[in-house]
Amino acid sequence: LAKTTQPISMDSYEGQEVNITCSHNNIATNDYITWYQQFPSQGPRFIIQGYKTKVTNEVASLFIPADRKSSTLSLPRVSLSDTAVYYCLVRRDAGNMLTFGGGTRLMVKP
Amino acid sequence: NAGVTQTPKFRILKIGQSMTLQCTQDMNHNYMYWYRQDPGMGLKLIYYSVGAGITDKGEVPNGYNVSRSTTEDFPLRLELAAPSQTSVYFCASIGQTYEQYFGPGTRLTVT
């Protein structure tokens, strides 16, 4: 499975848009990009996944360029409750193996 | 629909003791997983199962065993607890849309 690299931490302020970029240079043709959110003392929670171009749901947007070697999770107008660790993962089409990296620790300040 | 449930929530073990961490899901998912998460780190896959009767090792299986006799249950067994197994353990299952659903975790301390 492709290894992912993302920033260790990011700071933001309430109301700002936050973009977290993840690189996955060795992504394979049948790999999907998936993002999870984890609050302290809780299990990770699925946010969004995509294969190419742009995916949007009620929580976030995911931008994937044509070469798919990176992806950007966009959180619009963050609030204090968005303070969490965000994990970028690559999963093979069959979906049965997920490898979590270190994640990005997002701190939203008032 | 309770999702993925885990018991116990907390446990303290002495070195050399054994215990079983329980995991149950009520979503009829075939794929189930066990992860451990050390403080400040990401999750590491211990074991996974693609269906009843089928299990396979993940990244860090040493010191653990699993079984999958039913679709719902996927218990994790620690035979001879060691301080290195102090961690938070998460069970998860995956549905048809490949979203992974995680349980609330079991915080284990081995002293």
mmCIF file with all atom_site columns, all heavy atoms in Angstrom, chain A residues 36 38 43-44 49 87 91 94-98 101, chain B residues 31 33 37 42-43 48 90 94 97-100 102:
data_model
loop_
_atom_site.group_PDB
_atom_site.id
_atom_site.type_symbol
_atom_site.label_atom_id
_atom_site.label_alt_id
_atom_site.label_comp_id
_atom_site.label_asym_id
_atom_site.label_entity_id
_atom_site.label_seq_id
_atom_site.pdbx_PDB_ins_code
_atom_site.Cartn_x
_atom_site.Cartn_y
_atom_site.Cartn_z
_atom_site.occupancy
_atom_site.B_iso_or_equiv
_atom_site.pdbx_formal_charge
_atom_site.auth_seq_id
_atom_site.auth_comp_id
_atom_site.auth_asym_id
_atom_site.auth_atom_id
_atom_site.pdbx_PDB_model_num
ATOM 1   N N   . TYR A 1 36  ? -9.749  10.293  7.836  1.00 0.00 ? 36  TYR A N   1
ATOM 2   C CA  . TYR A 1 36  ? -10.433 10.038  9.106  1.00 0.00 ? 36  TYR A CA  1
ATOM 3   C C   . TYR A 1 36  ? -10.085 11.150  10.095 1.00 0.00 ? 36  TYR A C   1
ATOM 4   O O   . TYR A 1 36  ? -9.037  11.778  10.003 1.00 0.00 ? 36  TYR A O   1
ATOM 5   C CB  . TYR A 1 36  ? -10.011 8.687   9.703  1.00 0.00 ? 36  TYR A CB  1
ATOM 6   C CG  . TYR A 1 36  ? -10.652 7.499   9.058  1.00 0.00 ? 36  TYR A CG  1
ATOM 7   C CD1 . TYR A 1 36  ? -10.206 7.028   7.831  1.00 0.00 ? 36  TYR A CD1 1
ATOM 8   C CD2 . TYR A 1 36  ? -11.718 6.842   9.669  1.00 0.00 ? 36  TYR A CD2 1
ATOM 9   C CE1 . TYR A 1 36  ? -10.805 5.936   7.220  1.00 0.00 ? 36  TYR A CE1 1
ATOM 10  C CE2 . TYR A 1 36  ? -12.315 5.752   9.073  1.00 0.00 ? 36  TYR A CE2 1
ATOM 11  C CZ  . TYR A 1 36  ? -11.851 5.312   7.852  1.00 0.00 ? 36  TYR A CZ  1
ATOM 12  O OH  . TYR A 1 36  ? -12.456 4.221   7.262  1.00 0.00 ? 36  TYR A OH  1
ATOM 13  N N   . GLN A 1 38  ? -9.941  11.992  14.357 1.00 0.00 ? 38  GLN A N   1
ATOM 14  C CA  . GLN A 1 38  ? -9.928  11.357  15.667 1.00 0.00 ? 38  GLN A CA  1
ATOM 15  C C   . GLN A 1 38  ? -9.849  12.398  16.771 1.00 0.00 ? 38  GLN A C   1
ATOM 16  O O   . GLN A 1 38  ? -8.908  13.198  16.807 1.00 0.00 ? 38  GLN A O   1
ATOM 17  C CB  . GLN A 1 38  ? -8.780  10.360  15.811 1.00 0.00 ? 38  GLN A CB  1
ATOM 18  C CG  . GLN A 1 38  ? -8.839  9.579   17.118 1.00 0.00 ? 38  GLN A CG  1
ATOM 19  C CD  . GLN A 1 38  ? -7.722  8.570   17.268 1.00 0.00 ? 38  GLN A CD  1
ATOM 20  O OE1 . GLN A 1 38  ? -6.649  8.725   16.710 1.00 0.00 ? 38  GLN A OE1 1
ATOM 21  N NE2 . GLN A 1 38  ? -7.977  7.513   18.043 1.00 0.00 ? 38  GLN A NE2 1
ATOM 22  N N   . GLY A 1 43  ? -12.314 6.547   19.015 1.00 0.00 ? 43  GLY A N   1
ATOM 23  C CA  . GLY A 1 43  ? -11.839 5.913   17.805 1.00 0.00 ? 43  GLY A CA  1
ATOM 24  C C   . GLY A 1 43  ? -11.955 6.859   16.618 1.00 0.00 ? 43  GLY A C   1
ATOM 25  O O   . GLY A 1 43  ? -12.739 7.814   16.645 1.00 0.00 ? 43  GLY A O   1
ATOM 26  N N   . PRO A 1 44  ? -11.175 6.628   15.568 1.00 0.00 ? 44  PRO A N   1
ATOM 27  C CA  . PRO A 1 44  ? -11.262 7.477   14.369 1.00 0.00 ? 44  PRO A CA  1
ATOM 28  C C   . PRO A 1 44  ? -12.650 7.416   13.742 1.00 0.00 ? 44  PRO A C   1
ATOM 29  O O   . PRO A 1 44  ? -13.366 6.418   13.873 1.00 0.00 ? 44  PRO A O   1
ATOM 30  C CB  . PRO A 1 44  ? -10.215 6.866   13.437 1.00 0.00 ? 44  PRO A CB  1
ATOM 31  C CG  . PRO A 1 44  ? -9.259  6.167   14.332 1.00 0.00 ? 44  PRO A CG  1
ATOM 32  C CD  . PRO A 1 44  ? -10.098 5.636   15.458 1.00 0.00 ? 44  PRO A CD  1
ATOM 33  N N   . GLN A 1 49  ? -13.918 10.174  1.326  1.00 0.00 ? 49  GLN A N   1
ATOM 34  C CA  . GLN A 1 49  ? -13.001 9.423   0.488  1.00 0.00 ? 49  GLN A CA  1
ATOM 35  C C   . GLN A 1 49  ? -13.246 9.764   -0.970 1.00 0.00 ? 49  GLN A C   1
ATOM 36  O O   . GLN A 1 49  ? -14.334 10.220  -1.341 1.00 0.00 ? 49  GLN A O   1
ATOM 37  C CB  . GLN A 1 49  ? -13.118 7.918   0.713  1.00 0.00 ? 49  GLN A CB  1
ATOM 38  C CG  . GLN A 1 49  ? -14.367 7.269   0.175  1.00 0.00 ? 49  GLN A CG  1
ATOM 39  C CD  . GLN A 1 49  ? -14.358 5.763   0.385  1.00 0.00 ? 49  GLN A CD  1
ATOM 40  O OE1 . GLN A 1 49  ? -13.443 5.200   0.983  1.00 0.00 ? 49  GLN A OE1 1
ATOM 41  N NE2 . GLN A 1 49  ? -15.385 5.091   -0.086 1.00 0.00 ? 49  GLN A NE2 1
ATOM 42  N N   . TYR A 1 87  ? -6.249  11.930  9.732  1.00 0.00 ? 87  TYR A N   1
ATOM 43  C CA  . TYR A 1 87  ? -5.425  10.902  9.093  1.00 0.00 ? 87  TYR A CA  1
ATOM 44  C C   . TYR A 1 87  ? -5.782  10.780  7.609  1.00 0.00 ? 87  TYR A C   1
ATOM 45  O O   . TYR A 1 87  ? -6.956  10.676  7.248  1.00 0.00 ? 87  TYR A O   1
ATOM 46  C CB  . TYR A 1 87  ? -5.648  9.536   9.750  1.00 0.00 ? 87  TYR A CB  1
ATOM 47  C CG  . TYR A 1 87  ? -5.188  9.438   11.173 1.00 0.00 ? 87  TYR A CG  1
ATOM 48  C CD1 . TYR A 1 87  ? -6.082  9.605   12.222 1.00 0.00 ? 87  TYR A CD1 1
ATOM 49  C CD2 . TYR A 1 87  ? -3.863  9.154   11.470 1.00 0.00 ? 87  TYR A CD2 1
ATOM 50  C CE1 . TYR A 1 87  ? -5.662  9.490   13.535 1.00 0.00 ? 87  TYR A CE1 1
ATOM 51  C CE2 . TYR A 1 87  ? -3.430  9.040   12.780 1.00 0.00 ? 87  TYR A CE2 1
ATOM 52  C CZ  . TYR A 1 87  ? -4.341  9.214   13.807 1.00 0.00 ? 87  TYR A CZ  1
ATOM 53  O OH  . TYR A 1 87  ? -3.921  9.102   15.108 1.00 0.00 ? 87  TYR A OH  1
ATOM 54  N N   . ARG A 1 91  ? -6.348  3.256   0.516  1.00 0.00 ? 91  ARG A N   1
ATOM 55  C CA  . ARG A 1 91  ? -6.837  1.889   0.630  1.00 0.00 ? 91  ARG A CA  1
ATOM 56  C C   . ARG A 1 91  ? -6.949  1.262   -0.756 1.00 0.00 ? 91  ARG A C   1
ATOM 57  O O   . ARG A 1 91  ? -7.309  1.915   -1.719 1.00 0.00 ? 91  ARG A O   1
ATOM 58  C CB  . ARG A 1 91  ? -8.191  1.836   1.340  1.00 0.00 ? 91  ARG A CB  1
ATOM 59  C CG  . ARG A 1 91  ? -9.337  2.437   0.575  1.00 0.00 ? 91  ARG A CG  1
ATOM 60  C CD  . ARG A 1 91  ? -10.678 1.916   1.081  1.00 0.00 ? 91  ARG A CD  1
ATOM 61  N NE  . ARG A 1 91  ? -11.763 2.452   0.272  1.00 0.00 ? 91  ARG A NE  1
ATOM 62  C CZ  . ARG A 1 91  ? -12.191 1.893   -0.859 1.00 0.00 ? 91  ARG A CZ  1
ATOM 63  N NH1 . ARG A 1 91  ? -11.627 0.784   -1.318 1.00 0.00 ? 91  ARG A NH1 1
ATOM 64  N NH2 . ARG A 1 91  ? -13.193 2.428   -1.521 1.00 0.00 ? 91  ARG A NH2 1
ATOM 65  N N   . ALA A 1 94  ? -10.177 -3.388  -2.707 1.00 0.00 ? 94  ALA A N   1
ATOM 66  C CA  . ALA A 1 94  ? -10.893 -4.389  -1.904 1.00 0.00 ? 94  ALA A CA  1
ATOM 67  C C   . ALA A 1 94  ? -11.173 -3.885  -0.506 1.00 0.00 ? 94  ALA A C   1
ATOM 68  O O   . ALA A 1 94  ? -12.037 -4.393  0.183  1.00 0.00 ? 94  ALA A O   1
ATOM 69  C CB  . ALA A 1 94  ? -10.092 -5.685  -1.846 1.00 0.00 ? 94  ALA A CB  1
ATOM 70  N N   . GLY A 1 95  ? -10.424 -2.885  -0.053 1.00 0.00 ? 95  GLY A N   1
ATOM 71  C CA  . GLY A 1 95  ? -10.742 -2.193  1.193  1.00 0.00 ? 95  GLY A CA  1
ATOM 72  C C   . GLY A 1 95  ? -10.393 -2.900  2.462  1.00 0.00 ? 95  GLY A C   1
ATOM 73  O O   . GLY A 1 95  ? -10.706 -2.408  3.540  1.00 0.00 ? 95  GLY A O   1
ATOM 74  N N   . ASN A 1 96  ? -9.752  -4.051  2.385  1.00 0.00 ? 96  ASN A N   1
ATOM 75  C CA  . ASN A 1 96  ? -9.574  -4.793  3.618  1.00 0.00 ? 96  ASN A CA  1
ATOM 76  C C   . ASN A 1 96  ? -8.301  -4.449  4.369  1.00 0.00 ? 96  ASN A C   1
ATOM 77  O O   . ASN A 1 96  ? -8.066  -4.981  5.435  1.00 0.00 ? 96  ASN A O   1
ATOM 78  C CB  . ASN A 1 96  ? -9.640  -6.303  3.361  1.00 0.00 ? 96  ASN A CB  1
ATOM 79  C CG  . ASN A 1 96  ? -8.630  -6.737  2.314  1.00 0.00 ? 96  ASN A CG  1
ATOM 80  O OD1 . ASN A 1 96  ? -8.361  -5.991  1.394  1.00 0.00 ? 96  ASN A OD1 1
ATOM 81  N ND2 . ASN A 1 96  ? -8.092  -7.906  2.452  1.00 0.00 ? 96  ASN A ND2 1
ATOM 82  N N   . MET A 1 97  ? -7.463  -3.572  3.854  1.00 0.00 ? 97  MET A N   1
ATOM 83  C CA  . MET A 1 97  ? -6.261  -3.190  4.588  1.00 0.00 ? 97  MET A CA  1
ATOM 84  C C   . MET A 1 97  ? -6.157  -1.675  4.611  1.00 0.00 ? 97  MET A C   1
ATOM 85  O O   . MET A 1 97  ? -6.199  -1.023  3.576  1.00 0.00 ? 97  MET A O   1
ATOM 86  C CB  . MET A 1 97  ? -5.010  -3.763  3.917  1.00 0.00 ? 97  MET A CB  1
ATOM 87  C CG  . MET A 1 97  ? -4.853  -5.262  4.119  1.00 0.00 ? 97  MET A CG  1
ATOM 88  S SD  . MET A 1 97  ? -4.428  -5.697  5.809  1.00 0.00 ? 97  MET A SD  1
ATOM 89  C CE  . MET A 1 97  ? -2.724  -5.165  5.878  1.00 0.00 ? 97  MET A CE  1
ATOM 90  N N   . LEU A 1 98  ? -6.049  -1.126  5.809  1.00 0.00 ? 98  LEU A N   1
ATOM 91  C CA  . LEU A 1 98  ? -5.836  0.302   5.969  1.00 0.00 ? 98  LEU A CA  1
ATOM 92  C C   . LEU A 1 98  ? -4.620  0.515   6.844  1.00 0.00 ? 98  LEU A C   1
ATOM 93  O O   . LEU A 1 98  ? -4.495  -0.126  7.881  1.00 0.00 ? 98  LEU A O   1
ATOM 94  C CB  . LEU A 1 98  ? -7.048  0.974   6.617  1.00 0.00 ? 98  LEU A CB  1
ATOM 95  C CG  . LEU A 1 98  ? -8.281  1.173   5.761  1.00 0.00 ? 98  LEU A CG  1
ATOM 96  C CD1 . LEU A 1 98  ? -9.394  1.795   6.597  1.00 0.00 ? 98  LEU A CD1 1
ATOM 97  C CD2 . LEU A 1 98  ? -7.973  2.062   4.569  1.00 0.00 ? 98  LEU A CD2 1
ATOM 98  N N   . GLY A 1 101 ? -0.998  6.446   9.234  1.00 0.00 ? 101 GLY A N   1
ATOM 99  C CA  . GLY A 1 101 ? 0.267   7.108   9.548  1.00 0.00 ? 101 GLY A CA  1
ATOM 100 C C   . GLY A 1 101 ? 0.120   7.908   10.827 1.00 0.00 ? 101 GLY A C   1
ATOM 101 O O   . GLY A 1 101 ? -0.764  7.633   11.644 1.00 0.00 ? 101 GLY A O   1
ATOM 102 N N   . TYR B 2 31  ? -15.727 -7.689  7.225  1.00 0.00 ? 31  TYR B N   1
ATOM 103 C CA  . TYR B 2 31  ? -14.365 -7.324  7.606  1.00 0.00 ? 31  TYR B CA  1
ATOM 104 C C   . TYR B 2 31  ? -14.332 -6.726  9.001  1.00 0.00 ? 31  TYR B C   1
ATOM 105 O O   . TYR B 2 31  ? -15.082 -5.797  9.305  1.00 0.00 ? 31  TYR B O   1
ATOM 106 C CB  . TYR B 2 31  ? -13.796 -6.290  6.624  1.00 0.00 ? 31  TYR B CB  1
ATOM 107 C CG  . TYR B 2 31  ? -13.624 -6.782  5.212  1.00 0.00 ? 31  TYR B CG  1
ATOM 108 C CD1 . TYR B 2 31  ? -14.319 -6.185  4.162  1.00 0.00 ? 31  TYR B CD1 1
ATOM 109 C CD2 . TYR B 2 31  ? -12.756 -7.812  4.918  1.00 0.00 ? 31  TYR B CD2 1
ATOM 110 C CE1 . TYR B 2 31  ? -14.167 -6.616  2.862  1.00 0.00 ? 31  TYR B CE1 1
ATOM 111 C CE2 . TYR B 2 31  ? -12.585 -8.252  3.612  1.00 0.00 ? 31  TYR B CE2 1
ATOM 112 C CZ  . TYR B 2 31  ? -13.299 -7.653  2.598  1.00 0.00 ? 31  TYR B CZ  1
ATOM 113 O OH  . TYR B 2 31  ? -13.138 -8.091  1.303  1.00 0.00 ? 31  TYR B OH  1
ATOM 114 N N   . TYR B 2 33  ? -11.369 -5.634  12.339 1.00 0.00 ? 33  TYR B N   1
ATOM 115 C CA  . TYR B 2 33  ? -9.968  -5.293  12.556 1.00 0.00 ? 33  TYR B CA  1
ATOM 116 C C   . TYR B 2 33  ? -9.699  -5.036  14.041 1.00 0.00 ? 33  TYR B C   1
ATOM 117 O O   . TYR B 2 33  ? -10.577 -4.574  14.759 1.00 0.00 ? 33  TYR B O   1
ATOM 118 C CB  . TYR B 2 33  ? -9.608  -4.005  11.802 1.00 0.00 ? 33  TYR B CB  1
ATOM 119 C CG  . TYR B 2 33  ? -9.953  -4.041  10.340 1.00 0.00 ? 33  TYR B CG  1
ATOM 120 C CD1 . TYR B 2 33  ? -11.263 -3.812  9.911  1.00 0.00 ? 33  TYR B CD1 1
ATOM 121 C CD2 . TYR B 2 33  ? -8.977  -4.291  9.386  1.00 0.00 ? 33  TYR B CD2 1
ATOM 122 C CE1 . TYR B 2 33  ? -11.581 -3.848  8.568  1.00 0.00 ? 33  TYR B CE1 1
ATOM 123 C CE2 . TYR B 2 33  ? -9.291  -4.325  8.041  1.00 0.00 ? 33  TYR B CE2 1
ATOM 124 C CZ  . TYR B 2 33  ? -10.595 -4.105  7.637  1.00 0.00 ? 33  TYR B CZ  1
ATOM 125 O OH  . TYR B 2 33  ? -10.913 -4.156  6.309  1.00 0.00 ? 33  TYR B OH  1
ATOM 126 N N   . GLN B 2 37  ? -3.135  1.720   19.623 1.00 0.00 ? 37  GLN B N   1
ATOM 127 C CA  . GLN B 2 37  ? -2.660  3.092   19.472 1.00 0.00 ? 37  GLN B CA  1
ATOM 128 C C   . GLN B 2 37  ? -1.900  3.484   20.720 1.00 0.00 ? 37  GLN B C   1
ATOM 129 O O   . GLN B 2 37  ? -2.475  3.617   21.801 1.00 0.00 ? 37  GLN B O   1
ATOM 130 C CB  . GLN B 2 37  ? -3.827  4.065   19.223 1.00 0.00 ? 37  GLN B CB  1
ATOM 131 C CG  . GLN B 2 37  ? -3.358  5.474   18.940 1.00 0.00 ? 37  GLN B CG  1
ATOM 132 C CD  . GLN B 2 37  ? -4.486  6.395   18.538 1.00 0.00 ? 37  GLN B CD  1
ATOM 133 O OE1 . GLN B 2 37  ? -5.603  6.286   19.027 1.00 0.00 ? 37  GLN B OE1 1
ATOM 134 N NE2 . GLN B 2 37  ? -4.215  7.314   17.608 1.00 0.00 ? 37  GLN B NE2 1
ATOM 135 N N   . GLY B 2 42  ? -0.041  7.053   15.668 1.00 0.00 ? 42  GLY B N   1
ATOM 136 C CA  . GLY B 2 42  ? -1.139  6.566   14.840 1.00 0.00 ? 42  GLY B CA  1
ATOM 137 C C   . GLY B 2 42  ? -1.520  5.148   15.220 1.00 0.00 ? 42  GLY B C   1
ATOM 138 O O   . GLY B 2 42  ? -0.957  4.561   16.132 1.00 0.00 ? 42  GLY B O   1
ATOM 139 N N   . LEU B 2 43  ? -2.484  4.606   14.517 1.00 0.00 ? 43  LEU B N   1
ATOM 140 C CA  . LEU B 2 43  ? -2.955  3.260   14.819 1.00 0.00 ? 43  LEU B CA  1
ATOM 141 C C   . LEU B 2 43  ? -2.127  2.227   14.064 1.00 0.00 ? 43  LEU B C   1
ATOM 142 O O   . LEU B 2 43  ? -1.747  2.451   12.909 1.00 0.00 ? 43  LEU B O   1
ATOM 143 C CB  . LEU B 2 43  ? -4.420  3.114   14.399 1.00 0.00 ? 43  LEU B CB  1
ATOM 144 C CG  . LEU B 2 43  ? -5.453  3.768   15.292 1.00 0.00 ? 43  LEU B CG  1
ATOM 145 C CD1 . LEU B 2 43  ? -5.536  5.261   15.047 1.00 0.00 ? 43  LEU B CD1 1
ATOM 146 C CD2 . LEU B 2 43  ? -6.820  3.130   15.074 1.00 0.00 ? 43  LEU B CD2 1
ATOM 147 N N   . TYR B 2 48  ? -6.659  -8.865  11.450 1.00 0.00 ? 48  TYR B N   1
ATOM 148 C CA  . TYR B 2 48  ? -7.911  -8.564  10.799 1.00 0.00 ? 48  TYR B CA  1
ATOM 149 C C   . TYR B 2 48  ? -8.573  -9.855  10.337 1.00 0.00 ? 48  TYR B C   1
ATOM 150 O O   . TYR B 2 48  ? -7.939  -10.923 10.319 1.00 0.00 ? 48  TYR B O   1
ATOM 151 C CB  . TYR B 2 48  ? -7.737  -7.584  9.631  1.00 0.00 ? 48  TYR B CB  1
ATOM 152 C CG  . TYR B 2 48  ? -6.987  -8.125  8.440  1.00 0.00 ? 48  TYR B CG  1
ATOM 153 C CD1 . TYR B 2 48  ? -7.664  -8.578  7.310  1.00 0.00 ? 48  TYR B CD1 1
ATOM 154 C CD2 . TYR B 2 48  ? -5.599  -8.150  8.433  1.00 0.00 ? 48  TYR B CD2 1
ATOM 155 C CE1 . TYR B 2 48  ? -6.979  -9.057  6.210  1.00 0.00 ? 48  TYR B CE1 1
ATOM 156 C CE2 . TYR B 2 48  ? -4.905  -8.625  7.340  1.00 0.00 ? 48  TYR B CE2 1
ATOM 157 C CZ  . TYR B 2 48  ? -5.587  -9.074  6.230  1.00 0.00 ? 48  TYR B CZ  1
ATOM 158 O OH  . TYR B 2 48  ? -4.910  -9.554  5.147  1.00 0.00 ? 48  TYR B OH  1
ATOM 159 N N   . PHE B 2 90  ? -8.379  -0.523  19.649 1.00 0.00 ? 90  PHE B N   1
ATOM 160 C CA  . PHE B 2 90  ? -9.607  -0.215  18.913 1.00 0.00 ? 90  PHE B CA  1
ATOM 161 C C   . PHE B 2 90  ? -9.976  -1.370  18.006 1.00 0.00 ? 90  PHE B C   1
ATOM 162 O O   . PHE B 2 90  ? -9.137  -1.918  17.292 1.00 0.00 ? 90  PHE B O   1
ATOM 163 C CB  . PHE B 2 90  ? -9.426  1.041   18.051 1.00 0.00 ? 90  PHE B CB  1
ATOM 164 C CG  . PHE B 2 90  ? -9.310  2.312   18.833 1.00 0.00 ? 90  PHE B CG  1
ATOM 165 C CD1 . PHE B 2 90  ? -8.077  2.921   19.006 1.00 0.00 ? 90  PHE B CD1 1
ATOM 166 C CD2 . PHE B 2 90  ? -10.433 2.913   19.378 1.00 0.00 ? 90  PHE B CD2 1
ATOM 167 C CE1 . PHE B 2 90  ? -7.963  4.100   19.714 1.00 0.00 ? 90  PHE B CE1 1
ATOM 168 C CE2 . PHE B 2 90  ? -10.328 4.095   20.091 1.00 0.00 ? 90  PHE B CE2 1
ATOM 169 C CZ  . PHE B 2 90  ? -9.083  4.681   20.263 1.00 0.00 ? 90  PHE B CZ  1
ATOM 170 N N   . ILE B 2 94  ? -15.753 -2.845  8.657  1.00 0.00 ? 94  ILE B N   1
ATOM 171 C CA  . ILE B 2 94  ? -15.853 -2.074  7.416  1.00 0.00 ? 94  ILE B CA  1
ATOM 172 C C   . ILE B 2 94  ? -17.079 -2.529  6.647  1.00 0.00 ? 94  ILE B C   1
ATOM 173 O O   . ILE B 2 94  ? -17.382 -3.709  6.562  1.00 0.00 ? 94  ILE B O   1
ATOM 174 C CB  . ILE B 2 94  ? -14.568 -2.207  6.592  1.00 0.00 ? 94  ILE B CB  1
ATOM 175 C CG1 . ILE B 2 94  ? -14.405 -1.046  5.617  1.00 0.00 ? 94  ILE B CG1 1
ATOM 176 C CG2 . ILE B 2 94  ? -14.475 -3.525  5.866  1.00 0.00 ? 94  ILE B CG2 1
ATOM 177 C CD1 . ILE B 2 94  ? -13.001 -0.909  5.089  1.00 0.00 ? 94  ILE B CD1 1
ATOM 178 N N   . THR B 2 97  ? -19.466 0.385   1.732  1.00 0.00 ? 97  THR B N   1
ATOM 179 C CA  . THR B 2 97  ? -18.911 1.603   1.159  1.00 0.00 ? 97  THR B CA  1
ATOM 180 C C   . THR B 2 97  ? -17.463 1.802   1.589  1.00 0.00 ? 97  THR B C   1
ATOM 181 O O   . THR B 2 97  ? -16.867 2.829   1.304  1.00 0.00 ? 97  THR B O   1
ATOM 182 C CB  . THR B 2 97  ? -19.721 2.833   1.608  1.00 0.00 ? 97  THR B CB  1
ATOM 183 O OG1 . THR B 2 97  ? -19.729 2.859   3.040  1.00 0.00 ? 97  THR B OG1 1
ATOM 184 C CG2 . THR B 2 97  ? -21.132 2.770   1.077  1.00 0.00 ? 97  THR B CG2 1
ATOM 185 N N   . TYR B 2 98  ? -16.903 0.817   2.277  1.00 0.00 ? 98  TYR B N   1
ATOM 186 C CA  . TYR B 2 98  ? -15.509 0.819   2.729  1.00 0.00 ? 98  TYR B CA  1
ATOM 187 C C   . TYR B 2 98  ? -15.223 1.884   3.771  1.00 0.00 ? 98  TYR B C   1
ATOM 188 O O   . TYR B 2 98  ? -14.074 2.232   3.994  1.00 0.00 ? 98  TYR B O   1
ATOM 189 C CB  . TYR B 2 98  ? -14.546 0.928   1.553  1.00 0.00 ? 98  TYR B CB  1
ATOM 190 C CG  . TYR B 2 98  ? -14.707 -0.231  0.607  1.00 0.00 ? 98  TYR B CG  1
ATOM 191 C CD1 . TYR B 2 98  ? -15.143 -0.045  -0.691 1.00 0.00 ? 98  TYR B CD1 1
ATOM 192 C CD2 . TYR B 2 98  ? -14.459 -1.525  1.040  1.00 0.00 ? 98  TYR B CD2 1
ATOM 193 C CE1 . TYR B 2 98  ? -15.309 -1.118  -1.547 1.00 0.00 ? 98  TYR B CE1 1
ATOM 194 C CE2 . TYR B 2 98  ? -14.621 -2.608  0.192  1.00 0.00 ? 98  TYR B CE2 1
ATOM 195 C CZ  . TYR B 2 98  ? -15.051 -2.394  -1.104 1.00 0.00 ? 98  TYR B CZ  1
ATOM 196 O OH  . TYR B 2 98  ? -15.222 -3.448  -1.945 1.00 0.00 ? 98  TYR B OH  1
ATOM 197 N N   . GLU B 2 99  ? -16.238 2.413   4.429  1.00 0.00 ? 99  GLU B N   1
ATOM 198 C CA  . GLU B 2 99  ? -16.018 3.252   5.602  1.00 0.00 ? 99  GLU B CA  1
ATOM 199 C C   . GLU B 2 99  ? -15.744 2.342   6.780  1.00 0.00 ? 99  GLU B C   1
ATOM 200 O O   . GLU B 2 99  ? -16.454 1.356   6.996  1.00 0.00 ? 99  GLU B O   1
ATOM 201 C CB  . GLU B 2 99  ? -17.265 4.077   5.932  1.00 0.00 ? 99  GLU B CB  1
ATOM 202 C CG  . GLU B 2 99  ? -17.651 5.090   4.898  1.00 0.00 ? 99  GLU B CG  1
ATOM 203 C CD  . GLU B 2 99  ? -18.921 5.808   5.302  1.00 0.00 ? 99  GLU B CD  1
ATOM 204 O OE1 . GLU B 2 99  ? -19.157 5.952   6.516  1.00 0.00 ? 99  GLU B OE1 1
ATOM 205 O OE2 . GLU B 2 99  ? -19.652 6.225   4.410  1.00 0.00 ? 99  GLU B OE2 1
ATOM 206 N N   . GLN B 2 100 ? -14.718 2.659   7.547  1.00 0.00 ? 100 GLN B N   1
ATOM 207 C CA  . GLN B 2 100 ? -14.407 1.867   8.721  1.00 0.00 ? 100 GLN B CA  1
ATOM 208 C C   . GLN B 2 100 ? -15.099 2.475   9.927  1.00 0.00 ? 100 GLN B C   1
ATOM 209 O O   . GLN B 2 100 ? -15.006 3.675   10.164 1.00 0.00 ? 100 GLN B O   1
ATOM 210 C CB  . GLN B 2 100 ? -12.892 1.810   8.942  1.00 0.00 ? 100 GLN B CB  1
ATOM 211 C CG  . GLN B 2 100 ? -12.381 0.415   9.097  1.00 0.00 ? 100 GLN B CG  1
ATOM 212 C CD  . GLN B 2 100 ? -10.897 0.293   9.259  1.00 0.00 ? 100 GLN B CD  1
ATOM 213 O OE1 . GLN B 2 100 ? -10.192 1.239   9.523  1.00 0.00 ? 100 GLN B OE1 1
ATOM 214 N NE2 . GLN B 2 100 ? -10.413 -0.933  9.111  1.00 0.00 ? 100 GLN B NE2 1
ATOM 215 N N   . PHE B 2 102 ? -15.357 2.463   13.990 1.00 0.00 ? 102 PHE B N   1
ATOM 216 C CA  . PHE B 2 102 ? -14.526 2.105   15.126 1.00 0.00 ? 102 PHE B CA  1
ATOM 217 C C   . PHE B 2 102 ? -15.347 2.022   16.406 1.00 0.00 ? 102 PHE B C   1
ATOM 218 O O   . PHE B 2 102 ? -16.308 2.762   16.604 1.00 0.00 ? 102 PHE B O   1
ATOM 219 C CB  . PHE B 2 102 ? -13.423 3.139   15.323 1.00 0.00 ? 102 PHE B CB  1
ATOM 220 C CG  . PHE B 2 102 ? -12.299 2.999   14.335 1.00 0.00 ? 102 PHE B CG  1
ATOM 221 C CD1 . PHE B 2 102 ? -12.409 3.544   13.071 1.00 0.00 ? 102 PHE B CD1 1
ATOM 222 C CD2 . PHE B 2 102 ? -11.144 2.322   14.675 1.00 0.00 ? 102 PHE B CD2 1
ATOM 223 C CE1 . PHE B 2 102 ? -11.383 3.410   12.149 1.00 0.00 ? 102 PHE B CE1 1
ATOM 224 C CE2 . PHE B 2 102 ? -10.103 2.184   13.767 1.00 0.00 ? 102 PHE B CE2 1
ATOM 225 C CZ  . PHE B 2 102 ? -10.234 2.723   12.496 1.00 0.00 ? 102 PHE B CZ  1
#
